[in-house]
Each structure stands twice: as C-alpha cells, then as structure tokens.
Amino acid sequence: MYGLHQTLLPASAIHQSLFLPNFTPSTIYPPPKPHAALDVPEEKVVGNLVVAGGQGLRVFEIRETLEAATSPAEAISGNLDGDQGEESIGDGFFDEGHTKRAPVKYETRRKLHLLAQHELHGAITGLAALRTLESSVDGLDRLLVSFEHAKMALLEWSRGGISTVSLHTYERCQQMNTGDLQSYVPMLRTDPLSRMALLSLPEDSLAVLPVLQEQTEFDALEGFARDVPYSPSFVLSLSDVSPALKNLQDFLFLSGFHSPTLALLYSPLHTWSGRYQSVKDNYCLEIRTLDLSSGGSYPLLTSVNNLPSDSLYLVACPAELGGVVLITSTGVVHIDQSGRVVGAGVNAWWNYATNLKGDHSSEGRKLSLEGSRCVFVAERDMLLVLQNGDVHQVRFEMDGRAVGMIKVDESSSSVPAPSSVVVAGDKAIFVSCAEGDSLLAKVDVKREALPSDDIKEEKDDMDVDWDEDLYGDLNDPSNASLANGSKREPTGPATISVSPYDILAGVGKIMDIEFGIAATDQGLRTYPQLVAISGGSQRSTFNVFRRGIPITKRRRFNELSTSEAVWFLPIERASALKFKDIPDAERTTILISTEGNATRIFALSNKAVPEQIGRLTGRTLNAAPFFQRSCVMRATANEITLLDSNGKPIQLVCHQPGLPPIVSASISDPYVVVRRADGTVQFFVGDTVARSVSEVSLSENSDAPVCQVAEVFSDSTGIYRTFEPVRPVAQSVPVNGTTRSLAIRQGQQSRMQLTQQQIKRLQDQEPAISVDAPSMETTVNAARGSQWLALLTRRGELQIRSLPDLKVVLQSEGLGSSSPTFTDDLGDGATREEEREDEVVQLVFCPIGRNTVRPHLITLHRSGKLNAYEAQPRFTVDASAHTRRSLAVRFCKVHTQLLPITGGTTKLPYTIIPFADIEGQTGAFITGEKPHWILSSEAHPIRTFALKQAAMAFGKTTHLGGKGEYFIRIEDGSFICYLPPTLNIDFAIPCDRYQMERTYTSISFDPTSAHYVGAASITVPFQAYDEEGEIQLGPEGENLIPPTNQRSTLELFSQGSDPWRVIDGYDFDQNEEVLCMESVTLESPGANGGYRDFIAVGTGFNFGEDRATRGNVYIFEVVEIVGPRGKAGGSGWRLRLRTKDPARNPVNAISHINGYLLHSNGPKVYVKGFDHDEQLMGLAFLDVMLYVTSLKVFKNFILMSDLCNSFWLVSLQEDPYKFTTVSKDLQKVSPITTDFLVHEGQVSFVSNDRAGDIRMLDFDPSDPDSLNGERLLLRTEYHTGAPVTVSKVIARRKTAEEEFAPQTQIIYATSDGALTTLVSVKPARFKRLQLVSDQLVRNAQHVAGLNPRAFRTVRNDLLPKPLSKGILDGALLSHFALQPIGRQREMMRQIGTDAVTVASDLQALGGFW
C-alpha cells in the first residue's frame, strides 16, 4: 500500500528567535504612507524578527506607531462631550483654549507584520546574525540558519524574498559518523563583529566558518572562489586546543575584544546529586581567543575552575559590564575577564550543590532556574524569565569597576513559558514559546532620581555662569529637571517591568486531540469538531477546530430567495436612517438584486421587510456608487446607465447595439471600464462638476489591446507608488565600482549596525518616488487614495496604468505565466505573441487583513485555479536605468489552490466579491459551487476557508445597525448572517480558543451526552512513602524548594452557549496521575441494544525511585440528573463512578473491543468484561515485552506497541477467551503510536516512533521473508520531522451517502503544534505523483538549498538502501502549484500528464473529516 503524508495545520511552536536590525530594505528606506486624508498613524519599521520552529521559518517586520493613549475614564468623558454636539460651545464661536483640556499623551506601540513564511526541508536548530562584505554595499544583514545533521545555510533578502547564498554540510565528517548522536545538542554561535561562525559537533568539536570582512582577505585566497563572503571552513577538535576540554556544555562569543574571543563551559568529570560528597563543583570556564590569521592559535585568556555542578548555560554581558554570566539551577554567577567570581543563590539548595561562596539575600525568592532564559536589557540589569513565565530583574551592583553583588528582585510581570528570549529593538524583547502564544513585549525602565548635593560652594566672580540669567540656576532643585534645554534623566537604580506590545498566536505543543460533535443547549448535534489541548507548563488552551467558518444566521431575507447577485450600496438618501457606530460611507441604503433578465431596487431600513422602489430590465453585471455616493452606476450586457439615489435612470452613458455585448464591468468613482465579448475595452471618465460621463481612448497612437480582464481599482494604503524615470549614465561602471569600494570602506567602520550616514547614502542612491499633482477628483475624493487601471491582454501581459493620465507604469508577463514574483520588468513590445491556454476570467485588486490591511491581487482562471499575490512595496530598482515611471510594487504569490469543478464546467460559476470590515475582517468571498472565504491578519499569511454548501450571492450590509453582518444566499435559503465573535482565523483551520485555568493532559468525548471529559494535572508537593505507607521526611530548611509531582483530577465540561465550564469532577488520590483516557463502548444489560458508552481512565502512582509504582482502572459514566422541584442548579450532567479496579502496575494504554475493556498493566495486557455495570472481570491476558505505549483496535484485531520492541498484531478469541499472536515486528524500535491504514479491502500497519519516523508494514504470509507470517514486512520508512504525541484514525468517505467507509485516515498531532495526516493512495495515482516529486527535487528551487529526499530518508543500518518510496511528501508536492506555468509544462511533458490532472490528484487526497 502507498500513502501520502501532508500537513493540515502547520507547526506554530517557536523554538528559535532572532532580531535583525536591517534584514529587509524596509528598515532602511522610508515606508509608504497612506493618503493624508486617512486618519492612520504614521508607521516606521524598527527591525526584523526571525522565528523558527520545526521546519518553519518566518520573517516579520516590527512596525512602530505613535498613537494617542486614552484611558477608560477619558474615553467615557470624551463620548459624553461628543454627544452634546455644537450646543456645548455656547454663545462663543471660537475655542477658549486649553484651560479645560488635558494634554494629549502619546504612547509607542509595536506590531508584528509577516513578510515571508517557508517550510524548509530540515529541522531548524539555530539562528544567528551575520554581516558580510556585501552588507556594506546594500546595508542588509544576513541570516545564518543551522539544521539537524550538522548543516548551516547562509540566507539573505533579495528581490522580495529569502534567497540562499551558500550551504555548508558537515554530516559526513568523522564526528557525525562515529560520535554519540543521542546526547548531541547543536549550538550555533556567531562573533559580534561577524568574523566567524561556529557550530558544535559531537565528540567536543566545532565547525568553524570564517567570514571575510576585509577586501584584502579576498586577495589572499588561493584556489577558492572569490565571489563568496567566506573562506574555507574546517572542523576544530577541542582536544587539540586543550586536552582538558571535554563534555562541552555551552559556549559563546564575547564582545569588546580585538579578535574573536570565546567563552567555553565544560566539565572534565561527570557527577550527579548522589556523588556530591565526593565530586562537586566539576565545571570549568575558559576564555580563549580564536586567531585564524596567525595560523590557528588559540591563546588562553582566563581559566576558572570549581564552578557549580548544576551549571546550565552562559549569558554574554554587555561590553560596559564585561565578563560572562553563568546560570545554574540554584543561582546566578558572574565571571569577569580576570577570573573574579561573584555568585548569588536564589534558593537554599545553593549550599547543597556548590561550595562557592555567594550572597544569600535572594534565597527567599525560592526560584528554580531549570528551563529559564536570560537577556540583558541595560548595562547592569538583566531579565530572568523562569520556565513558568515569571519575570525577575537581576541587578549587578558594582564595587568600583568590578561586580560586587548580585541581587534578584521579586517577579514584576508574567510572560509565556519561554523557549528563547531576545532583545527586539530599543526597550523591547520577544519571548518565543513552544507551548502556545509568543509575546512581543515592551521593557519599561523606571530609574530613581539620586538626591542632589545639599552643600553649595560659594562662587567667586570667575565661577559665575552668565547663562543663569536666561536659564536659571541649574543647581537649584526647582530647575533640577532641566539641563541644556532638556530634561535631565534620572541616574539611580532602575526598576524594570514588562508589558505586552503584540501577541503572536500559536497552538504550541499538542497534548491530546479528540473528535466530537458540538451540541446546542437543547442537545441538538449540529457540526463535528476537533478539540486539541495545547500547553504544558502553564494553563492549557483548548483549540476547537471546525471544518470551515460556520454560517451563523441572524434572520431570513426571503425577498432575495432567487437572487443571482446583490449589491448593498452606501448611497446618500435623505430618508435613510443613521447609526452611531457606522460612518456614512459604510451605511448601506440601496439594495440592487438581479435574477434572470430583471433587476430589482430596494430601499433599506431597519424594518423586517425592505421597500422595493424600482425595477429595471436586463441582468446587472456590476453596480457601484458614483459621484461621491450621490448616484449609482449600473452596467448590463447592452448598456451603462447612471441612476439617481432612488434608482431612476438619469443618463445613458453607453448604448451601442452594434458592438459585441459587455461581459464584465469595473467601476471605481469616477472611472468605468468595460470589456466586451471580443476582448475590446472601453474606458469612461466622470466629471464631478458637470455630473456627466464620457468615453476616453486608452491609446492615442494605436488600438487598445485585446484583453482577458480589465479592472479599475483604488489604493488607500499608499503601497502603489511609482519611481521617477532615471536616465542612463554614460560611465556607469566606473562610478558603480567606485561607489561600491567606498561603501565597503565605510561599512568596515561599523560592522554591527548601520550608521545614519550609511542609511542616508543608501536612500540617496535609489530613484525618487513620484508625487502626483493634485486634481479635482483627488481633492474631492481624498479618502479614496490613488486610482489605477489594470489590463491583462490575451498574450498574458499585465499592464497597470496610472490615472487619470493613463500612463503605463507596469508591464509584466509574470501574472500570465503564474510566476512566484513579478514586477515592472518589460519594455514596450517585449511580450510574446502566443495566447495563454488557461485564460484568466476574473482579476480583483482588494485589500485583505484585520486592522492593518495589505493590498492583494487575486486571479481566477478558467480551470478553477486561484492565485493570490500580495502587493509589496519596492524600495530599490532592479534595472540600472528605466526611461519611464515604474510602479514601485512587487507582486509575490502567497497562495494558490484549485477550486473544484464538476465535469469540467461548474454548475454554478465562481465569482470573487471583495468586502470590508466584517467583524474587523477585510477580504474577499468566492461564490459558486464550493464557496470560500479569503482572509488574513497582520502576523499570519492569507487563508482560504471553504463552506459546505454552494453560495449563489453574497454582500456585506449594515442596514440593520451591525458592522459585522453580511447577506448570503445558500441552498438552505437567503439569510442575514454574522461572523462568530470567538472565531480565530490565524491558523490554517478556523477554530475557537479557550484559555483554561489548569493544565490538562487528556480529553475524551462522550457521544451519548455530547459532553467532553478532561483530565487536569495539578502540581503539588511530592510526598514520599515507605513500603508500609508511612510518610518519609526529606531535608528541611526555610528556603528549600520542595520536590513536586503531578496529581490529576477528572472534570466534566459544559456545552452549548457557555462551553468549557467545569460542571462536575472527580479527585484522584495523592501522587496518582491519569496516564490514558478513552471513550469506550461496553456491554450493559440494562441499555438499549445491550451496549452503553463509558469513560475509561487508566492511572499510575508516582512514589519516587524507592518504592514500586502501581495503578488503577476507573469506569465513569456521564449521566443526567434532575434536582428537586424549586431547587436552583439541581438539574444537569454529572460524572458517576461505576467501578474502580486496582492494578499492580501503571495503566498507560486503554481501549475496547467487541464490548469488552482492553487495557495494559505494565508488561501485561488484559481484556475484561463489565459485569452488571458494577465490576470488571478478567477474561484473558497476554504477556508483552516491557512497556505498552498504545492499544489500537480494528474489528477483531489489536495492535500493541511496546516502548523497546516495536509492536505485535494480536487477535481476540471469545470461545474460549484468549489472545492469539498473529505476527510481530522483530526490529528494535520505540513506537509511540500504531494505527491501521485501510484502503478498499487492504490493510497496512503504521507506527510512529520518538524520532518522528513513520514505518509502514504489511502482513504477507506468502512472502518467504515473513517466516510464514510470523514476521511483519517493512515496506517503507519516512521521516516526519517532529515527534508525534497522539494519533487518531477516522473514516474517509468519498461522498456523504456512503454507509461504509472504503478507507481510513490517520491524524497525527505533534509536539510542534502541527496536525498532519496520512492517507492511502491508489497505485496509478501514486506513480504519477512520485514522478512529480522527482521532478520537483531536481528542478524546483528550495530555500536554504536543502534536499527534500534526504530530509525524509530514515537511517537504518539493517537495510542495504533506504526504503523511502512508499510515502509521498505532501509538503514537497505543494510546491508544484507555486511553479511558473512554463516550468510546470516542461515537467509534465517529461512525465506524460498535465498540470490540471496533478492538481486534481492533490485536491482529491487533501483535507480531512
């Protein structure tokens, strides 16, 4: 059997983060500004943030705005004053000044804005910043990324995206082949001056990559390419540097040194807490200089021995403070360049772990520093973020020039559980989290003012400052805050706290998943859903994923039950109602509905039934407001008509019966463009003063081009700008060469960050931005922004012309060829003559986003292919000179998909309808056979969400007083609907998120009651018992942190309008924790049909290492009770304990088979019957090897996975009751989950181990290698990239009418927050897609230059060659749609198929439930 592995929900856990001041040009050049008439705060980009988790790499801009800070009290008073209107002015016309007006306070706010997102073919292990020699020319930073298996890639930002400079691999070196890979932790470090990069390797070795920073270093290279910014790398063994350098724990570069200087933390001897009496303080620190220019010498600067045995990691200190900070599990240690050691304990275990003398004043904090992260935010102040998210300030108090004391303050704030913490610009940090949401936080620094001198010396005549006549006595306390005309900053001790700037949403590590059915308060089952529990260290989050965005109906709209298209227009009408929260420009007053060959016009109000005020003949193609919303422009197949505010015709703009009919029309006040059936285009312009519309020729010298699509659009974001024309310079090469050399010399003076002079030089080199002269239309319609005309010719050339001059500012074939990116790259007459095969039927320019919108270009092809391009600002010109104005925009493809088409042509054609501000969302809706929402947000990419049933008409309306309402006509009828306020569209699957008060580990769904049951884990002090059950006492002390463990509780959650509220629960014993929980169906004589649903729970006790563990099996039932009459809260659902069955070992796997309970008991598996709903009776058992990790049942077969010995295939016999071992997997692997994969009568067994490797096995007794069926045959191995935490098997049906599912589908949840799936593939389809994968490996460009095939290959020393051709890589196949049409055609020609067939194959295998 063959399979396809693909991602349903991309990983959102963040393990690595890095701040780069100048990674993209937007940090150097001024950003586009919206039109001045729009009330939008001015933005600037303060830097770039790069985050990585698993295989995902994301690049953000940090945008800063200055906004007025309003407190709630001020907002209330402001609203009261605003309601009074002009009457509050009184008799005086003029404002009386600021006597009663408080000064406006402004505050800085920062937001994350997504620029690029890539799924790489390798697990990212580190991020680092570099500045190469080219950085002095373009001013941009470079990004160094490390991957598993000892790889490094140097990346840069080029032409609107990430491009690969070089890839360095060390996977074939001796250390990787013979070293201990189990304990290998890759660490990537770079020198602060970008002279060197280091990557740790096994066997205490380092991979060294020297980076060239001087032009003379290029000239010294012999036999090596001189167009690369580095010299040959090599592997350095630390044993060659010093024989004592063993067991490297951490290393980092120090700043402030002339040569690259490295601090290394290592332990020559191993120890543990039980050997502290004999071996303690076994860590050492060395500071060495890595001087490669002198032949590879590594002189020792400082060596410190006898450091604490619980040392964790190092933190580099600022150059002003000097030295390095060592974080241990019990304290903080500072070591300066001379070897002076100063320590401070944060709990009383400091004296047990080390003999180092330290300050004990902070031991009362009782902190545990395992899993903590540190970052310096000031010269002598460091933020310490604990594993639970508490933030503590660490003060380094000076004694002269050296650190004299370390103080740890109380927790000042709380952030998410950190996986990394980095400084993100001035007074800001970014806290990445692998368990949920990450945080961009503001660092608030408040310093105390030191008391001024009370002693004043007498002044003689020579000491008199004559400026005191103007500025006063600067020593006077009343003038103490002024110095040189500005405030004197306090210089006392700082108090630092953290407050949120922006939140980057993420699912994080998934603990458990469960499918269920959402129910209303009346118990009606409405829609399926998937609940995923994320979190771990702090409170859990319940992520309720839905199949699509639900249609939440407010009321019916029966008057539009037959509408084919609707337009809700904000036309100014005297009789229209006004709403307080809805501006006039968004208040819909006129409704135009077309069906068949007629058009109806309604006047809208808040009444239930709208008033029809007109009826026109002809099917309306488009309608929009005109002449500042005073009229309506309507286009039909035969004419264009201008209507008044009541729907009455006032001007026939175009009526030419002899020409072909109009097939499409685009309207943007005061412009109209129409396209006829033969491809000809007509353009009309309205005169606002004369109130008339006339036709304007598109081309003066030649005929207008024959077009596929014509569109006129407006831009209010300011992204659409043009470069001024630049004339070619005669001697450009010498000038450019001189400029580059000068830039390199200036850049060498500041390698760490750009100076203001360098930024000014870079800005002056680029062409100026055009400034359009103001016109009548731009003055009257200032809030609309700039307007443009887009034409897509039959040859596939996209032309964008500026309005009103109709000058071409962009020509490109990129849209017609479906290129990943395109910009103004064609001259006149450079297009090809052949026509495109897949014609574009609709072209829409619309903003998409939430709060801050981004302009997009959406194209819909006749084949159903949907492409979305984001219009990104362009700051530099790719060509050396251009002779006309050029559009400063680069279009980057951000989404592509194939909309389903039945039988080659749709029953209902697709139409893209833009909308604005529906519950804060701006985007587009696609009506048709399979409708879709197109949405996005600032920090997340564009998403498309499908609806279950066809949609015939759509439109946004505000006539009922709500800003989040829209009209939709579906198969069920016509409705006014709204988006659910709790809906989250930041992820690939829409979901509702609920923050819980506790940490949960398991969840199950009870189908009878439609309620969820969760297992909560509470951290409690550990209590040790001896074999007789007596309490054992440990070390006692005032500031000792007691050991803790987990204690579980079972909780029943409510459903309906108030979901996920705990309504009942059950507390387990001390030290007892839930290990597994399942909804099981057991035999019950009193139930209808003889079976009843229960909740089965398996637990285990944690008694420590000195006492054997045990467990229990619990059977619960969710029952409904009815309380006494008149008693409030007596009715409801409750958990009822049916039985408790003790076990000698922990019960960590549980399931059911044929009405019997199946569970593990340490090394045994039992099957039991539920006797009279009261007790469990053993029927059969089976001895397994060591530790059962999962039990999966399919019909009468059981898959039992063992932690060390793979899995068994077992069947259950009922007469008599016994287990029969059918077959086994004889390889020594460690599976976490095993599942059945079924496809039309065939079955395969799939396991997933701790390394994230999928193994697919078959049972074939006819094969000689199977030993007569006793051995399962391994067919393929596939590396997923992340460990799997839980798996579920669901039925996969082709149609909803199928009673029996022909195949199954496996859903995996990973530790990185991803949801992946494995589906079976037919042999013919598999062979076709396998050839496509081979073509993509060879021909597609992969970010960082990684090999997709090598990433999915599993290393197996027992096989002569890898078995990697049984499972397709869905992530790789998704790149096929992003390839240009020419490359797709070439690849398909070699395979013997076409692109539409491949896209249809991928669509048939995609999705789930």
Side-chain angles (χ1 to χ4, degrees), residues 320-322 334-342 380 396-406:
E320 296 80 5
L321 181 63
H334 179 266
I335 306 168
D336 61 11
Q337 293 90 332
S338 63
R340 186 172 182 267
V341 180
V342 178
R380 301 173 186 175
F396 295 87
E397 299 181 357
M398 307 302 292
D399 184 10
R401 294 186 176 182
V403 175
M405 187 177 297
I406 302 176

Side-chain angles (χ1 to χ4, degrees), residues 594-666:
T594 182
E595 56 271 345
N597 197 30
T599 298
R600 294 181 295 167
I601 302 176
F602 297 88
L604 297 177
S605 64
N606 59 355
K607 297 180 181 180
V609 179
E611 177 188 358
Q612 181 174 342
I613 59 176
R615 186 181 181 90
L616 303 174
T617 59
R619 185 178 183 274
T620 302
L621 298 178
N622 195 3
F626 218 73
F627 290 147
Q628 293 83 50
R629 299 185 296 108
S630 62
C631 303
V632 178
M633 183 65 70
R634 172 178 175 260
T636 65
N638 300 320
E639 61 185 17
I640 302 176
T641 310
L642 184 65
L643 311 177
D644 61 8
S645 60
N646 293 319
K648 308 299 181 183
I650 57 177
Q651 180 184 353
L652 186 61
V653 177
C654 175
H655 180 69
Q656 300 171 338
L659 297 179
I662 299 173
V663 293
S664 66
S666 177

Side-chain angles (χ1 to χ4, degrees), residues 319-613:
E320 296 80 5
L321 181 63
V324 65
V325 173
L326 171 63
I327 304 297
T328 71
S329 61
T330 58
V332 180
V333 181
H334 179 266
I335 306 168
D336 61 11
Q337 293 90 332
S338 63
R340 186 172 182 267
V341 180
V342 178
V346 294
N347 58 63
W349 292 106
W350 170 271
N351 295 329
Y352 289 84
T354 180
N355 294 326
L356 184 67
K357 295 182 179 179
D359 181 69
H360 301 283
S361 60
S362 300
E363 288 184 354
R365 307 284 183 257
K366 295 184 181 181
L367 307 181
S368 179
L369 303 188
E370 289 93 344
S372 63
R373 296 293 184 268
C374 296
V375 62
F376 274 90
V377 295
E379 295 179 1
R380 301 173 186 175
D381 296 283
M382 183 179 70
L383 288 184
L384 174 64
V385 185
L386 303 184
Q387 187 178 14
N388 60 359
D390 292 340
V391 180
H392 296 263
Q393 180 183 353
V394 181
R395 305 173 185 266
F396 295 87
E397 299 181 357
M398 307 302 292
D399 184 10
R401 294 186 176 182
V403 175
M405 187 177 297
I406 302 176
K407 296 290 186 181
V408 181
D409 293 348
E410 287 284 354
S411 175
S412 59
S413 52
S414 180
V415 297
S419 59
S420 66
V421 181
V422 295
V423 175
D426 183 29
K427 295 183 180 180
I429 62 173
F430 179 76
V431 182
S432 63
C433 181
E435 300 177 354
D437 298 340
S438 301
L439 178 68
L440 177 65
K442 176 183 179 182
V443 178
D444 299 312
V445 181
K446 298 180 180 179
R447 292 191 177 273
E448 301 177 4
L450 296 178
S452 59
D453 274 338
D454 295 335
I455 302 176
K456 296 184 179 180
E457 298 180 357
E458 294 185 1
K459 301 179 181 178
D460 54 15
D461 293 339
M462 299 298 297
D463 295 333
V464 173
D465 188 357
W466 300 106
D467 290 339
E468 292 179 359
D469 294 338
L470 297 176
Y471 304 109
D473 188 1
L474 295 180
N475 294 323
D476 189 356
S478 61
N479 298 327
S481 61
L482 298 177
N484 296 328
S486 62
K487 288 189 176 181
R488 179 183 300 169
E489 296 292 336
T491 58
T495 301
I496 300 177
S497 60
V498 171
S499 58
Y501 265 141
D502 193 11
I503 295 178
L504 180 59
V507 175
K509 180 181 179 180
I510 298 178
M511 305 295 295
D512 196 10
I513 60 175
E514 179 69 332
F515 285 92
I517 298 176
T520 61
D521 293 337
Q522 292 78 19
L524 301 177
R525 301 179 182 181
T526 55
Y527 53 87
Q529 61 186 13
L530 173 64
V531 180
I533 301 177
S534 63
S537 299
Q538 294 180 324
R539 299 177 298 175
S540 295
T541 301
F542 283 6
N543 305 275
V544 184
F545 295 101
R546 302 179 177 181
R547 194 158 38 179
I549 296 180
I551 300 177
T552 309
K553 305 169 185 176
R554 186 177 298 277
R555 75 172 187 89
R556 281 188 173 271
F557 209 129
N558 296 325
E559 290 75 17
L560 303 181
S561 58
T562 59
S563 295
E564 299 176 2
V566 294
W567 292 268
F568 291 85
L569 305 179
I571 305 300
E572 292 184 354
R573 302 182 74 245
S575 60
L577 294 177
K578 294 187 177 182
F579 299 98
K580 178 180 179 182
D581 299 331
I582 300 177
D584 293 341
E586 300 179 10
R587 182 167 43 90
T588 55
T589 58
I590 291 292
L591 167 61
I592 298 179
S593 171
T594 182
E595 56 271 345
N597 197 30
T599 298
R600 294 181 295 167
I601 302 176
F602 297 88
L604 297 177
S605 64
N606 59 355
K607 297 180 181 180
V609 179
E611 177 188 358
Q612 181 174 342
I613 59 176

